[in-house]
Amino acid sequence: MLEYFTLHVLALIFVAAQFGGMAFFAFLFTPLVFKFVARDDAAKFLRQVFPVYHRVMAGMAIIPALILVAGHAYMVEVVSLLSVAAVFLFAAQVLVPMANSARETGDQAKFSRIHRVTVILHTIQFIVLFVMFIRLTQ
C-alpha cells in the first residue's frame, strides 16, 4: 500500500494543500470576515492575519520544491514553486506593511493600488500552483 507514497506524491499533496488553502482564504475566509465583522475590525484583524498567511504559504511552496529537487527531472516545478514562495515573502515583507501604512494614514488611493497589486500577484500564484498541480499529476 505504501509503495504509492513517494516523494513525488508528497510534493503533490503539498501543492494541492497550498492551492486549497489559497482558495479557502480568498474565496471563503476573507469574505466571511468582512460579512460578519464590522469593516474596521475586519480590516484590523486581517492586517494581523495576512503576514502569517503569506509566510505559511511561502513555506507551503518551499517544502514541495525541496522535495522535488531530489527528483532532478522537476526543475520547472522547483523554480515555479520557489518563485511563488518568493512572491509570498515579498508580499509579507514589503506589500503588506505598505498597505497597512497606507490604511493607517488614510491614503485610500495608495491602499487601493497596493491591494490591486496583491490581488493580481495572488491570482498569478494561484494559476501557477494550478499548473504545477496538473504537471505533477502526469
Side-chain angles (χ1 to χ4, degrees), residues 22 25-27 30 34 46-47 50-51 53-54 57 84 86-103 108-127:
M22 289 177 70
F25 197 83
F27 300 117
T30 303
F34 278 107
L46 288 175
R47 274 185 265 170
F50 275 123
Y53 167 74
H54 285 94
M57 288 294 123
V84 166
V87 171
F88 272 121
L89 292 174
F90 174 74
Q93 295 300 115
V94 177
L95 295 177
V96 170
M98 285 174 58
N100 289 346
S101 176
R103 176 74 85 178
Q108 187 59 38
K110 182 177 179 181
F111 174 80
S112 293
R113 283 191 309 273
I114 296 166
H115 183 263
R116 191 174 315 113
V117 168
T118 62
V119 169
I120 290 168
L121 289 174
H122 198 266
T123 302
I124 292 167
Q125 290 170 296
F126 196 67
I127 292 167

Side-chain angles (χ1 to χ4, degrees), residues 49-71:
V49 171
F50 275 123
V52 175
Y53 167 74
H54 285 94
R55 287 183 184 97
V56 168
M57 288 294 123
M60 289 290 290
I62 291 169
I63 292 170
L66 293 175
I67 292 169
L68 291 172
V69 165

Side-chain angles (χ1 to χ4, degrees), residues 23-42:
F24 173 80
F25 197 83
F27 300 117
L28 190 65
F29 180 77
T30 303
L32 285 176
V33 168
F34 278 107
K35 181 176 180 173
F36 293 112
V37 179
R39 186 157 187 82
D40 287 342
D41 292 337

Side-chain angles (χ1 to χ4, degrees), residues 6-22:
T6 63
L7 290 178
H8 176 98
V9 171
L10 185 61
L12 180 63
I13 290 168
F14 270 97
V15 171
Q18 182 175 21
F19 183 80
M22 289 177 70

